[in-house]
Amino acid sequence: MHSPSPRSLVDLPIRRLDRGDLVPCADLCEDRGWPRDEHRWGLLLSAGTGYGIDAPDGKGLAATCLTMPYGSDLIAVGMLLVAERYGRRGLARRLMRHAMEAVGDTPLALYATELGQPLYEDLGFSPVGRAERVGGRFEAGGADDSPAASRPNTTTRSSVTTRSAAADDLQALVRLDLPVFGADRTHLLARLPAFSDRIQVAEEDGELVGYAALWPSGQTEVVGPLIARDTVTAQALIAALAATTDRPLRADVDARHKELLGWLLENGLRSHPGTTVMTYGIPDLPGDAARRFAPLTLATG
């Protein structure tokens, strides 16, 4: 049987994805050398809108793309994946154009790999920043960096206290998150307790000043989102989360937070290829970059 021509591939129908597509989506990730991440796909397809093109050979999906809405303020675009056997035949461009047309005039944001950036630039996206990926086993450099062994659920660093989040923290967490992220993502944060292995909050004088979640991805644990008043608070949250797992950590840290990145490298993590933050229809990401340290996942913005 002959492979479909480039013309016939770009004429294939685009359909909405649902939770029944978790395994084909995970298969496509694996095809591209990513962790399967059915867990993450479950979150993305329940909170966002997935688009897919079925493979003409009947073997799963040829391509996917996902949009994550934040009202009329912002839509994040992610998970633009094309099966290796159908690469460079226009499917990524077609899916992106479809997603852009579907959302109308709402501003867009995404994290672009080096391979994907030329396509996004050609579609009108502009680079506005960087996210640096770090990963590896966290090895606290000293007593000041280590959570108190006698109190596994509570740590203190400087005047900041961190503890495991409770159910009644959600409202305060959403209030803290809104001006930092710059758009309402209650629909995602409400799913965090079920999605995450752990959520840690930071307080000072009874006021919430930061939070971070830890969730599984393949053989690693991802730190994200990470929202904190300052670098010291971010460090305290990461150290507390790291003490709860034996797995390697991963995080995509805003490149402007050089002090935190340096601290993570000093504590055992290593640099991996990062991504370029890009926007369409707005000059920069909304919110407060000084307190926005890492996204939940690149696909959610």
Side-chain angles (χ1 to χ4, degrees):
M1 179 182 292
H2 295 293
S3 299
S5 69
R7 176 66 183 172
S8 63
L9 271 180
V10 297
D11 287 339
L12 291 171
I14 295 172
R15 66 173 178 87
R16 289 279 294 270
L17 301 176
D18 58 34
R19 291 184 63 86
D21 292 301
L22 284 179
V23 171
C25 287
D27 289 344
L28 185 54
C29 283
E30 193 170 55
D31 177 81
R32 300 305 310 196
W34 293 14
R36 288 184 58 84
D37 264 350
E38 288 177 42
H39 180 63
R40 176 172 54 154
W41 270 110
L43 173 74
L44 297 176
L45 292 177
S46 63
T49 301
Y51 300 100
I53 297 175
D54 290 311
D57 61 9
K59 298 178 181 178
L61 289 162
T64 59
C65 182
L66 183 120
T67 58
M68 184 65 64
Y70 302 105
S72 60
D73 297 318
L74 183 71
I75 290 178
V77 184
M79 306 309 285
L80 183 63
L81 293 167
V82 177
E84 188 171 9
R85 64 191 184 279
Y86 297 122
R88 300 187 180 279
R89 302 197 199 179
L91 292 185
R93 180 180 298 272
R94 178 154 178 256
L95 267 179
M96 274 299 298
R97 286 193 181 279
H98 181 86
M100 293 172 73
E101 291 169 3
V103 303
D105 295 330
T106 306
L108 302 173
L110 56 79
Y111 288 79
T113 63
E114 184 178 359
L115 184 64
Q117 187 170 344
L119 168 63
Y120 302 129
E121 289 179 341
D122 193 44
L123 290 170
F125 284 79
S126 301
V128 297
R130 287 280 300 171
E132 300 297 341
R133 175 161 290 192
V134 291
R137 295 197 176 276
F138 183 86
E139 301 169 354
D144 289 342
D145 292 322
S146 302
S150 61
R151 291 183 296 160
N153 292 325
T154 307
T155 69
T156 302
R157 183 182 176 90
S158 183
S159 60
V160 175
T161 298
T162 84
R163 59 171 174 79
S164 182
D168 58 3
D169 287 318
L170 180 60
Q171 191 173 2
L173 194 148
V174 169
R175 282 198 305 268
L176 173 67
D177 187 81
L178 180 56
V180 178
F181 185 73
D184 184 358
R185 54 176 175 174
T186 303
H187 68 304
L188 266 182
L189 301 184
R191 290 175 165 89
L192 263 189
F195 176 71
S196 305
D197 287 337
R198 187 180 182 89
I199 303 173
Q200 196 83 0
V201 297
E203 293 178 312
E204 186 171 59
D205 299 325
E207 179 186 358
L208 204 68
V209 295
Y211 77 92
L214 191 72
W215 53 272
S217 174
Q219 299 303 309
T220 68
E221 293 274 0
V222 179
V223 177
L226 175 55
I227 301 292
R229 178 185 59 187
D230 51 32
T231 301
V232 169
T233 305
Q235 290 172 342
L237 287 165
I238 292 173
L241 290 175
T244 68
T245 181
D246 294 327
R247 291 184 174 189
L249 299 185
R250 188 178 84 222
D252 292 285
V253 178
D254 189 307
R256 286 169 285 203
H257 293 294
K258 298 186 184 302
E259 185 180 354
L260 180 66
L261 282 164
W263 178 80
L264 288 167
L265 295 177
E266 289 169 4
N267 283 276
L269 274 64
R270 296 182 178 180
S271 293
H272 295 271
T275 49
T276 298
V277 184
M278 307 188 78
T279 59
Y280 180 92
I282 44 174
D284 202 349
L285 291 178
D288 182 0
R291 292 185 287 165
R292 188 177 60 240
F293 285 83
L296 167 57
T297 171
L298 298 184
T300 62

